[in-house]
């Protein structure tokens, strides 16, 4: 199995595209108002979402972004098996991390993508 050729983040409410490759929902909660069949998922990685405590603390406040992603990255360092499974699921295709948040720059998918890019070198 090969890792992803690239990593992208996309709002779950945007329509799927052929170029998405492996589509993975990385939120702990299911996106409001979406049916499972409409999301066209390859995986749902709840276990890679931020802890409930961290998610509630951040509350999508962009002023807390730097502290949020640093705390989230610390949580992710303890989830090596789950991270490896996510990277392998892409199997040489692009990896698209799906999220429900309205803010496209300050969300857990962006923070996870940053972490994965570091891990991949």
């Amino acid at each position: 199995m090969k890792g992803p050729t690239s990593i992208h983040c996309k709002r779950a409410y945007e329509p799927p595209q052929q170029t998405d490759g492996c589509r993975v929902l990385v939120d702990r909660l299911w996106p409001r108002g979406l049916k499972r069949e409409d999301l066209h998922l390859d995986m749902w990685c709840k276990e890679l979402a931020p802890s409930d405590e961290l998610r509630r603390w951040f509350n999508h406040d962009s002023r807390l972004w730097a502290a949020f992603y640093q705390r989230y990255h610390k949580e992710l360092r303890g989830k090596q098996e789950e991270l490896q499974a996510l990277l392998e699921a892409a199997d040489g295709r692009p990896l698209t991390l799906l999220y429900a948040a309205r803010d496209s720059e300050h969300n857990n998918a962006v923070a996870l993508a940053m972490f994965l890019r570091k891990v991949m070198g």
Side-chain angles (χ1 to χ4, degrees):
M1 288 253 185
K2 296 185 244 173
T5 55
S6 57
I7 300 172
H8 309 277
C9 298
K10 185 175 188 176
R11 197 153 185 252
Y13 300 97
E14 293 178 39
Q17 296 179 329
Q18 195 81 28
T19 56
D20 288 345
C22 183
R23 293 172 50 88
V24 180
L25 179 63
V26 293
D27 286 348
R28 188 170 300 279
L29 305 173
W30 189 263
R32 221 177 264 156
L34 280 181
K35 295 179 184 170
R36 289 187 187 262
E37 57 271 14
D38 293 341
L39 216 46
H40 301 279
L41 284 183
D42 290 286
M43 294 172 73
W44 181 10
C45 291
K46 290 185 234 187
E47 66 281 354
L48 288 177
S51 64
D52 281 333
E53 180 183 25
L54 181 57
R55 182 178 56 82
R56 287 187 182 114
W57 172 83
F58 177 50
N59 198 29
H60 302 288
D61 183 343
S62 62
R63 295 171 298 179
L64 301 174
W65 173 244
F68 167 75
Y69 78 72
Q70 289 168 6
R71 291 177 185 187
Y72 181 35
H73 287 184
K74 187 175 180 181
E75 288 183 359
L76 289 170
R77 283 193 278 280
K79 300 182 178 189
Q80 293 304 311
E81 286 181 30
E82 294 91 341
L83 291 164
Q84 193 60 41
L86 173 61
L87 292 172
E88 288 176 2
D91 195 24
R93 300 177 289 163
L95 175 62
T96 299
L97 305 175
L98 302 173
Y99 61 92
R102 287 192 181 106
D103 186 335
S104 63
E105 294 177 34
H106 307 102
N107 64 64
N108 61 297
V110 171
L112 177 56
M114 290 167 53
F115 186 84
L116 292 172
R117 288 181 187 118
K118 270 189 199 172
V119 168
M120 291 171 49

